[in-house]
Amino acid sequence: LEDVGEKLQQGAGALLIAEESISPDQEDTLCKFLQAQPSWSDLPILVLARSRADSAAVARAMDRLGNVTVLERPTRISTLVSSVRSALRARTRQYQLRDEEEQLRRAHDELETRVRERTASLREMNQVLQQQIRERGAAEDRAHTLLREAVTAQDMAIDVAIKTAA
């Protein structure tokens, strides 16, 4: 079972195991390994069961190990090959989904970075615009004040002209 665990860590596509080799201790070890796998992983397990045997070990393995296919012995070679190919295709698809998930995560992280950068840029632009609005408001206030002073001075000049003409 140690060799099996090592092969699984190296990326084995499926596990083909005989019913007789599934002792409770080995089953516990295998369960711990399977539980430690990433969430995307669902290792296909093919169990070669004895002919016409209603094995408690097989039933327990099916309950605890998850993705289990039971093949009754004697198994035709074409059935075994077909089952292994299906298991390997399923595992290959899992790896593809893992890679796609990683690409999506990287794209998400990149977008998050771009959003943070854009938000900071917009915040800076907003501050500049607010400063320009304040400056424009102050300039308009000065223009209104000067206009009132000019009108007042003009009114005073007219009053003086009228008084001097009279």
Side-chain angles (χ1 to χ4, degrees):
L1 192 58
E2 290 174 12
D3 291 339
V4 169
E6 185 178 315
K7 295 294 182 190
L8 292 175
Q9 287 178 340
Q10 293 172 358
L15 175 61
L16 178 61
I17 191 166
E19 167 191 8
E20 296 84 3
S21 67
I22 305 175
S23 71
D25 290 340
Q26 290 175 331
E27 185 180 321
D28 289 341
T29 302
L30 188 56
C31 282
K32 288 177 187 173
F33 173 81
L34 293 172
Q35 290 168 354
Q37 291 189 96
S39 61
W40 59 264
S41 179
D42 189 17
L43 179 71
I45 301 172
L46 303 161
V47 177
L48 295 173
R50 294 176 293 185
S51 179
R52 296 187 182 100
D54 186 21
S55 172
V58 172
R60 190 173 56 248
M62 289 175 65
D63 287 342
R64 293 188 67 200
L65 300 178
N67 190 5
V68 175
T69 299
V70 178
L71 301 171
E72 186 176 302
R73 291 179 296 199
T75 303
R76 293 181 57 195
I77 294 297
S78 60
T79 302
L80 180 60
V81 169
S82 174
S83 298
V84 169
R85 283 184 179 164
S86 292
L88 292 175
R89 273 194 304 276
R91 189 62 169 172
T92 299
R93 184 65 183 140
Q94 290 174 25
Y95 282 115
Q96 289 170 343
L97 291 173
R98 175 205 61 187
D99 294 344
E100 290 172 8
E101 180 181 341
E102 179 61 26
Q103 289 173 351
L104 283 173
R105 188 194 58 74
R106 281 194 302 264
H108 176 267
D109 291 347
E110 182 181 324
L111 285 174
E112 286 292 327
T113 299
R114 290 172 61 191
V115 164
R116 280 192 298 276
E117 290 170 354
R118 186 68 177 151
T119 300
S121 174
L122 289 171
R123 188 177 300 118
E124 289 173 15
M125 284 190 244
N126 191 33
Q127 290 172 348
V128 168
L129 287 173
Q130 287 177 353
Q131 179 62 32
Q132 290 175 348
I133 289 169
R134 285 191 295 272
E135 289 172 0
R136 184 178 179 138
E140 287 176 359
D141 288 346
R142 282 193 304 273
H144 286 244
T145 300
L146 289 173
L147 184 59
R148 275 187 298 235
E149 289 175 0
V151 168
T152 302
Q154 187 178 12
D155 287 344
M156 288 174 61
I158 291 173
D159 287 345
V160 169
I162 291 176
K163 286 183 185 178
T164 43

